[in-house]
């Protein structure tokens, strides 16, 4: 489970932290959080938290003290870090009036770097004292029992400076591994596959695979056949991405996803076409690595427009029992939910939710899916069909995808795939995948795992 920011903050989104050692009161207490970790671990669930250290809140004590000190300087007096060390925690500069990404520091003559919002000043991540603070923060949460971190906005540590960002990632990853050997770190680098590949040189475990995600990413494009995209081109691009990432970090764990808190939801990406939504999920959950499912995606929750608040609405647990339901962000619009709530979907075997549950079960029953070495079966790949071979610890599975509105039939003996059995399948309408006499019949938008 990845929790978005839970630390004390001034906003609904909590990406402006005012206290790195606390839980925001809207979410509970540190004791509540410890209990959550314990209950997760009892169930074999790891928990990671969002760690935001590209910037703090402008209401963070470090920043407030630094600005107050700068405001108190006499005309011509130079700031002295011995008097106020926090002036070196941020990027203050007298000569940045009117510069992009800089804002005035109170009533002082100084300006501070702030890429996202004037209430989120950027930290000076090349400062050893700042790094020491971040190490203390990371250790605090690791000692409490968290299993890792999602790192926010890694390409903005030093905006436009890939090598410096990579160095920050290397430092942080090596530090947290010195505290917890199997710590999981996943970075948000909203960029191209080539830039993400370069960041993998840091040794960081994972980066979200943005080239696969969103309405213009490889998954939804392949399912919807958008533009020139075909299943064949998806296969080629997928393998290229895998090869690229592995060349930078042979131990990388891919982190594919379809939607997140910054993007339109998969329902919008597929224009509420339930079959396409399910097929996109099926592709996602049979890919390498550690797929991320944004809450609500598994019930087809709807977002609306570009407003972030509309992408972060309360989980739709029930339309009849509102006990304990979260309130929506104050600036969110009323968004019509075209798919049923959790309680109703649980009762419908063909619901989006039960499709996700089945896909997750098949994934867990076949460790080759996440961990196997992947190769293409070229003879079974065309504009509508994809076939992958995955090998892990001497065990091999075959995954065949019929990404089409029409049924498909294949003779497996013609491609040397004899004596296979069905390990599991996914179909959008409940129809079975049938294998008899080495001939396989696949309904529209279906996936089958053979072994």
């Amino acid at each position: 489970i990845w929790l978005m920011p839970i630390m004390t903050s001034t906003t609904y989104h909590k990406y402006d932290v005012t206290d790195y050692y606390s839980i925001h009161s809207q979410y509970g207490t540190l004791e509540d959080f410890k209990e959550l970790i314990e209950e997760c671990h009892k169930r074999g669930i790891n928990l990671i938290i969002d760690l935001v250290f590209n910037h703090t809140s402008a209401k963070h004590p470090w920043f407030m003290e630094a600005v107050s000190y700068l405001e108190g300087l006499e005309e011509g007096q130079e700031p002295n870090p011995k008097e106020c060390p926090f002036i070196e925690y941020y990027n203050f500069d007298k000569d940045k009036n009117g510069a992009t990404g800089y804002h005035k520091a109170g009533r002082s003559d100084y300006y501070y770097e702030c890429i996202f919002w004037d209430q989120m000043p950027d930290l000076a991540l090349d400062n050893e004292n700042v790094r020491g603070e971040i190490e203390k923060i990371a250790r605090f949460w690791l000692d409490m029992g968290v299993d890792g971190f999602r790192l926010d906005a890694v390409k903005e540590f030093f905006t436009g400076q890939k090598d410096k960002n990579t160095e920050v990632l290397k430092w942080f990853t090596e530090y947290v591994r010195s505290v917890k050997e199997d710590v999981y770190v996943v970075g948000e680098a909203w960029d191209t596959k080539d830039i993400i590949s370069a960041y993998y040189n840091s040794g960081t475990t994972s980066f979200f695979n943005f080239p696969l995600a969103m309405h213009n990413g490889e998954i939804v494009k392949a399912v919807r056949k958008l533009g020139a995209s075909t299943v064949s081109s998806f296969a080629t691009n997928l393998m290229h991405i895998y090869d690229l990432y592995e060349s930078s970090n042979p131990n990388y764990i891919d982190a594919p996803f379809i939607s997140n808190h910054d993007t339109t939801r998969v329902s919008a990406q597929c224009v509420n076409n339930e079959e396409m939504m399910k097929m996109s999920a099926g592709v996602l959950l049979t890919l390498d690595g550690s797929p991320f499912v944004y809450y609500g995606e598994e019930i087809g929750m709807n977002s609306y427009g570009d407003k972030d608040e509309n992408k972060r609405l309360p989980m739709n647990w029930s339309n009849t029992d509102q006990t304990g339901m979260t309130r929506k962000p104050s600036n969110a619009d009323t968004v019509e939910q075209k798919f049923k709530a959790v309680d109703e979907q649980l009762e419908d075997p063909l619901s989006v939710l039960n499709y996700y549950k089945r896909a997750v079960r098949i994934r867990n029953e076949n460790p080759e899916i996440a961990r196997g070495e992947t190769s293409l079966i070229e003879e079974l790949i065309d504009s509508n069909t994809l076939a992958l071979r995955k090998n892990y610890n001497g065990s091999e599975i075959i995954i065949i995808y019929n990404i089409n509105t029409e049924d498909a039939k294949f003779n497996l003996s013609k491609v040397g795939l004899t004596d296979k059995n069905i390990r599991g399948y996914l179909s959008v309408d409940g129809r079975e995948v049938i294998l008899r006499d080495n001939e396989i019949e696949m309904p529209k938008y279906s996936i089958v795992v053979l072994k």
Side-chain angles (χ1 to χ4, degrees):
I1 298 174
W2 155 36
L3 297 181
M4 289 166 63
I6 55 175
M7 299 166 194
T8 305
S9 161
T10 67
T11 60
Y12 80 92
H13 55 71
K14 312 281 186 284
Y15 279 99
D16 57 329
V17 179
T18 59
D19 180 1
Y20 284 98
Y21 297 95
S22 66
I23 302 289
H24 197 286
S25 59
Q26 288 178 326
Y27 294 149
T29 65
L30 280 172
E31 292 306 312
D32 295 328
F33 184 64
K34 289 176 186 176
E35 184 181 358
L36 172 62
I37 293 172
E38 289 171 6
E39 294 300 325
C40 282
H41 289 172
K42 282 180 189 176
R43 293 159 173 80
I45 297 170
N46 284 352
L47 185 144
I48 67 173
I49 61 172
D50 226 311
L51 186 57
V52 185
F53 63 73
N54 174 70
H55 48 262
T56 69
S57 168
K59 300 294 191 294
H60 193 286
W62 299 340
F63 187 74
M64 293 174 69
E65 190 168 328
V67 171
S68 177
Y69 172 79
L70 293 173
E71 287 177 329
L73 293 176
E74 301 291 337
E75 181 74 31
Q77 181 184 358
E78 290 298 314
N80 184 349
K82 291 182 179 178
E83 297 174 348
C84 179
F86 301 120
I87 59 172
E88 293 190 326
Y89 278 35
Y90 301 89
N91 299 310
F92 292 106
D93 195 320
K94 261 188 176 179
D95 301 323
K96 294 295 185 179
N97 186 10
T100 301
Y102 278 80
H103 298 272
K104 200 170 193 317
R107 300 183 308 278
S108 76
D109 295 331
Y110 286 82
Y111 298 82
Y112 62 93
E113 185 184 25
C114 186
I115 294 298
F116 290 107
W117 176 40
D118 65 359
Q119 293 301 297
M120 297 197 303
D122 286 15
L123 284 167
L125 292 175
D126 49 4
N127 180 281
E128 288 304 314
N129 291 328
V130 170
R131 292 195 180 192
E133 298 279 9
I134 294 168
E135 288 177 355
K136 284 192 291 185
I137 293 162
R139 179 156 207 139
F140 173 82
W141 294 101
L142 289 172
D143 286 347
M144 192 175 295
V146 303
D147 299 287
F149 303 100
R150 179 262 190 186
L151 301 184
D152 180 58
V154 304
K155 71 186 187 72
E156 307 306 339
F157 292 158
F158 294 91
T159 301
Q161 300 183 62
K162 172 170 54 66
D163 291 344
K164 292 196 75 169
N165 292 335
T166 303
E167 188 277 326
V168 173
L169 288 162
K170 184 175 188 294
W171 150 70
F172 181 81
T173 300
E174 289 179 351
Y175 173 74
V176 293
R177 281 186 185 149
S178 74
V179 178
K180 182 180 173 66
E181 188 176 0
D182 63 347
V183 66
Y184 180 70
V185 180
V186 56
E188 181 210 21
W190 194 332
D191 220 314
T192 64
K193 60 183 181 294
D194 296 297
I195 299 295
I196 294 171
S197 175
Y199 285 145
Y200 268 120
N201 285 309
S202 65
T204 301
T205 319
S206 297
F207 290 94
F208 289 108
N209 200 333
F210 277 90
L212 298 183
M214 302 179 287
H215 70 283
N216 58 350
E218 297 294 337
I219 294 174
V220 170
K221 279 199 307 183
V223 171
R224 295 188 59 191
K225 309 286 175 56
L226 295 177
S229 184
T230 65
V231 178
S232 177
S233 63
F234 169 73
T236 301
N237 293 337
L238 182 68
M239 295 306 297
H240 176 62
I241 289 171
Y242 288 166
D243 290 343
L244 200 58
Y245 294 171
E246 187 175 13
S247 69
S248 298
N249 180 0
N251 298 314
Y252 88 102
I253 299 173
D254 194 24
F257 70 103
I258 299 173
S259 68
N260 68 18
H261 58 289
D262 290 320
T263 73
T264 56
R265 287 185 173 274
V266 67
S267 53
Q269 296 175 33
C270 293
V271 201
N272 291 311
N273 183 308
E274 185 173 333
E275 293 184 343
M276 288 182 174
M277 290 161 59
K278 288 177 177 176
M279 188 73 229
S280 299
V283 173
L284 172 70
L285 292 169
T286 51
L287 291 179
D288 291 9
S290 183
F292 280 73
V293 175
Y294 183 45
Y295 82 92
E297 187 176 299
E298 75 275 30
I299 60 169
M301 271 182 64
N302 292 97
S303 55
Y304 176 72
D306 293 328
K307 190 187 290 187
D308 280 347
E309 290 89 334
N310 292 344
K311 303 165 187 171
R312 306 174 189 188
L313 299 172
M315 182 68 174
N316 192 18
W317 296 105
S318 176
N319 290 319
T320 54
D321 181 2
Q322 295 296 297
T323 307
M325 281 284 283
T326 308
R327 292 186 298 274
K328 68 181 182 180
S330 58
N331 289 333
D333 299 317
T334 298
V335 178
E336 180 187 0
Q337 295 300 326
K338 298 184 183 297
F339 296 91
K340 294 176 181 177
V342 171
D343 55 356
E344 295 176 82
Q345 289 206 25
L346 283 171
E347 301 302 317
D348 177 4
L350 294 181
S351 68
V352 177
L353 178 56
N354 276 314
Y355 183 95
Y356 270 84
K357 286 166 69 77
R358 184 178 176 92
V360 169
R361 189 179 77 243
I362 289 172
R363 183 180 187 85
N364 287 338
E365 290 171 346
N366 297 278
E368 300 92 341
I369 294 176
R371 299 167 177 82
E373 183 178 340
T374 303
S375 59
L376 303 178
I377 302 174
E378 300 284 358
E379 300 92 333
L380 290 178
I381 297 176
D382 60 26
S383 60
N384 299 311
T385 309
L386 170 64
L388 302 177
R389 178 181 278 109
K390 287 177 174 264
N391 285 283
Y392 175 66
N393 279 356
S395 176
E396 179 182 276
I397 63 169
I398 308 297
I399 309 177
I400 304 176
Y401 305 76
N402 179 27
I403 308 180
N404 193 14
T405 54
E406 304 292 330
D407 296 358
K409 186 181 293 187
F410 309 101
N411 189 315
L412 298 180
S413 58
K414 289 184 177 179
V415 291
L417 298 176
T418 56
D419 302 322
K420 300 293 182 186
N421 297 302
I422 293 177
R423 284 279 296 168
Y425 66 87
L426 297 165
S427 68
V428 298
D429 56 8
R431 286 190 294 154
E432 290 184 65
V433 174
I434 298 171
L435 174 61
R436 61 167 70 92
D437 299 328
N438 289 320
E439 188 166 79
I440 193 159
E441 298 176 25
M442 299 184 66
K444 63 178 180 177
Y445 289 138
S446 62
I447 302 171
V448 64
V449 178
L450 304 173
K451 189 171 181 178

